Amino acid sequence: MTRPSLLFAAALLAVAASGCGGGGSGRAAPAATASTTAPTTSTTTSTSTSTSTTPGTPALDVAALVAGYEARRAAYLAHSATGGGHYAQLARLELGLPIDRRSLDELVDFIASRRDTADFGATALVRLLYLHGANPALPQDWRDRAERTLLGWRYWLDQPGRDGMVFWSENHVIMFAAAEYLVGARHPQEVFTNAGLTGAEHARRGRARVERWLDERLRFGFSEWCSPVYYPHDVAPLLNLIDFAPHPEVAARAAMVLDLLLLDLARLTQQGSFGVTAGRAYAQHKLSGRGQSIGDLIEVLFGTRGGFQRVGSTAATQFATSRAYRPPHVLLAIGRDEARPRRVERARAGLRFGEGPAEGIGFTSLDDGVFWWAQGGYMAPEAIGLSRRMIEAWGLWDHPAFSPLRPLRHAPEPLLVGLSQALGPASRGSMLGGANIYAFKTPDAMLSSVVHYAPGRVGFQQHAWQATLDQDALVFTTAPGNLGHDGPTHWTGSASLPQISQWEGVALILYDPPPGVRAVFAEETHAMFPRAGFDEVVERAGWVFGRKGQGYVALYSAQPAYWRAYGPDVGRELVAPGARNAWLCQVGREADDGPFDAFVDAVARARVDVQGLAHGDLTVEFDAPGVGHLRMRWGERATLDGRALHVDDFPRLDGPYARQAWGERRLEVRHAGLSLTHDHRTGVRAGEGL
């Protein structure tokens, strides 16, 4: 490499890591309560107290389902009020309890600092003031300062200010937009001191960004798919919009998007753990289901975790105080559906660069650039020229995320594109679009992966696959990195993303990093397999088997793997030296596979053949018990008994509860005689319990 390309490589890695961040170490945000405007475009359909799916199945007691949710919601409000922080103060205000002013002062201080994730705090403050701005329990001088802070704040990149706030990842975009819309609507005649615009003008600008973001989620899903850390920070602004938006049509569409997020939780939660592939996840949200930020909301909604883990959880406190949004009955029912012996869920989220123009999203306008930045496409060859124009237009050369690129400020655009192409594993690594998400689920085990997604690229925060039996018993692999909190780190992201193909309960996972990645990161892969989380662990014929209750998991490494003997991961980390590797995973259960020893025997005896660990084409073949002969070569689609798998992109949603073609503007969710319908064109949302 030439010296400029080395500089650009370092800059790209720094930008992709920090630009992908925002929120990992920040503060959280409170919850919602009353709304003065109910969405008139939503339609409520009454339901009987019990429904039945098919003859012979027990009737679903809808009244008990809803009563359980409401009881947990009230219980979490009381639980939240026992802690410190601004969420606890919101809960205490709701319950008429004395508050701790210090927590509220710290909230305003944090917002005024304009540090990264200050928008989390602003989202909380907007809710608190809408709900309790006239509450005499709040000191008048604090209320005055809080209002002044929001009237003088920076709500978007085109407004005056130089600070460390990250505006552009998917969750940040909606938090800033919703805050500007709602604060502007709250003070329409006031002149806001930072931008010199009236509240009405701020509201108009914020609403435009809100509506675009909502429409993109309805069309393309969440590019930060199934994120156990950032879904709560989508919930917070969505509930603010549902509860407080002055335009009912905006509130109705926000409710539709929130329905989609809850549908993910309902479909893909295993024994209370949202242990699935994710677009963005930090180590602490992957190593145990108990560490997931979304966990307490899952408990409020479905009651499947056995209790609350945190005080003042963002999403759970929002739900505990919201009176305008009611979860559709069908989503509550899906979240507790353990009657289906096995099911496959497929979904597609986000856009690839090549798909943008056909969807009306190009590479020239700043607004289009925000879409690509929200998907993590900062420095990819397709977007790097537009990114430089955005940095220039919005004065971001001093921002910590982009300051490493200053030496390239005036470089010819063809040179920028060429450097980005040369560094493709890093420059494209943070791009989140075009994810095909596959999950196989039984009552006892779940296996999920993102199929043929960016193999060989640096995955800064993507979580490629996971097997989950419950909150403590889980398995996944990564290629460990060393780039700090925002990834890739030892467990966050992956120094090189694997090529994965999955068919039902079996996944083939190949690692083959390109030479540039091998030069930067350790040449090894490793697995998280916490032995203490399982009832039984057995090793045989290169496989490690785990049992939890009636659920089973089997993991195989083609490179000989050993248990880490020192450090914080003793007893839970398997290390496999070598940059190239083939891992296999199969899940099972007693009801399908018999006793655990029978499952162990069948898998251990099955033929496994791996070629190309040293050189040549990396290829794996596995005669998976109960499934068939699976084969995958690096760079090619997998086959099952000679038949190609996953040739085409997945639909937007495809499973037993909902099927929606890509581009279809209508969604129907059905289960146990209950339903939810979205019509994107008319804005009508209909179903039981709304």
Side-chain angles (χ1 to χ4, degrees), residues 170-514:
E170 186 173 73
N171 65 92
H172 287 297
V173 171
I174 189 58
M175 281 189 283
F176 278 104
E180 182 169 20
Y181 172 43
L182 294 174
V183 176
R186 183 174 166 83
H187 301 282
Q189 304 305 317
E190 293 270 3
V191 175
F192 285 45
T193 56
N194 185 59
L197 303 172
T198 65
E201 179 61 15
H202 275 291
R204 184 187 67 79
R205 293 183 176 206
R207 179 184 176 184
R209 297 200 311 280
V210 163
E211 290 182 325
R212 175 165 181 161
W213 190 93
L214 294 175
D215 184 62
E216 289 167 354
R217 301 293 75 70
L218 291 173
R219 293 167 65 192
F220 312 132
F222 291 88
S223 63
E224 295 172 338
W225 72 87
C226 299
S227 176
V229 56
Y230 287 113
Y231 266 16
H233 300 299
D234 295 318
V235 168
L238 287 170
L239 278 174
N240 278 359
L241 292 167
I242 294 164
D243 286 348
F244 313 129
H247 302 93
E249 61 274 22
V250 174
R253 291 186 184 276
M256 288 182 181
V257 174
L258 185 52
D259 289 344
L260 292 179
L261 189 152
L262 299 194
L263 179 60
D264 282 349
L265 298 181
R267 294 182 306 121
L268 301 174
T269 296
Q270 179 71 21
Q271 300 294 323
S273 177
F274 197 42
V276 290
T277 174
R280 296 182 66 192
Y282 299 103
Q284 62 266 36
H285 304 93
K286 299 164 54 176
L287 301 182
S288 166
R290 300 184 189 278
Q292 296 169 343
S293 297
I294 200 69
D296 283 333
L297 177 57
I298 291 171
E299 176 64 16
V300 169
L301 289 166
F302 311 125
T304 53
R305 288 173 63 88
F308 303 126
Q309 298 289 333
R310 303 182 180 197
V311 172
S313 158
T314 301
T317 308
Q318 296 273 125
F319 266 77
T321 58
S322 177
R323 297 195 260 284
Y325 181 82
R326 291 181 292 276
H329 291 169
V330 68
L331 300 185
L332 296 177
I334 291 170
R336 293 186 63 88
D337 180 20
E338 295 298 330
R340 295 178 189 268
R342 52 199 292 133
R343 57 183 165 91
V344 170
E345 298 278 359
R346 301 191 307 159
R348 186 179 170 210
L351 288 183
R352 300 182 187 90
F353 284 119
E355 298 168 317
E359 300 287 355
I361 301 165
F363 300 93
T364 56
S365 77
L366 300 184
D367 287 343
D368 287 345
V370 170
F371 176 86
W372 297 120
W373 279 16
Q375 289 203 150
Y378 314 95
M379 297 294 122
E382 295 87 345
I384 191 167
L386 175 56
S387 290
R388 183 169 63 177
R389 292 193 292 277
M390 295 164 71
I391 296 167
E392 189 72 44
W394 290 327
L396 296 175
W397 290 112
D398 294 325
H399 193 284
F402 299 107
S403 57
L405 290 177
R406 273 199 216 117
L408 299 167
R409 184 173 184 176
H410 302 295
E413 188 160 321
L415 175 61
L416 285 179
V417 174
L419 291 173
S420 181
Q421 289 171 336
L423 295 161
S427 65
R428 295 181 185 273
S430 58
M431 178 63 177
L432 301 176
N436 287 320
I437 304 154
Y438 189 105
F440 171 76
K441 193 174 187 305
T442 73
D444 303 300
M446 179 172 68
L447 179 65
S448 75
S449 63
V450 59
V451 175
H452 283 263
Y453 171 84
R457 294 183 191 172
V458 178
F460 292 93
Q461 293 170 7
Q462 297 95 322
H463 186 39
W465 77 275
Q466 181 167 314
T468 305
L469 307 188
D470 68 6
Q471 295 179 69
D472 303 305
L474 55 94
V475 175
F476 64 84
T477 63
T478 79
N482 54 10
L483 292 186
H485 175 267
D486 285 326
T489 71
H490 199 65
W491 292 115
T492 296
S494 192
S496 179
L497 287 166
Q499 177 176 310
I500 304 175
S501 193
Q502 182 180 342
W503 183 257
E504 295 191 344
V506 181
L508 311 179
I509 305 130
L510 298 181
Y511 287 89
D512 188 6

Side-chain angles (χ1 to χ4, degrees), residues 499-538:
Q499 177 176 310
I500 304 175
S501 193
Q502 182 180 342
W503 183 257
E504 295 191 344
V506 181
L508 311 179
I509 305 130
L510 298 181
Y511 287 89
D512 188 6
V517 172
R518 296 188 197 187
V520 176
F521 301 106
E523 293 195 23
E524 67 180 28
T525 57
H526 64 165
M528 171 56 55
F529 200 121
R531 288 182 292 192
F534 291 87
D535 297 330
E536 205 174 340
V537 175
V538 174

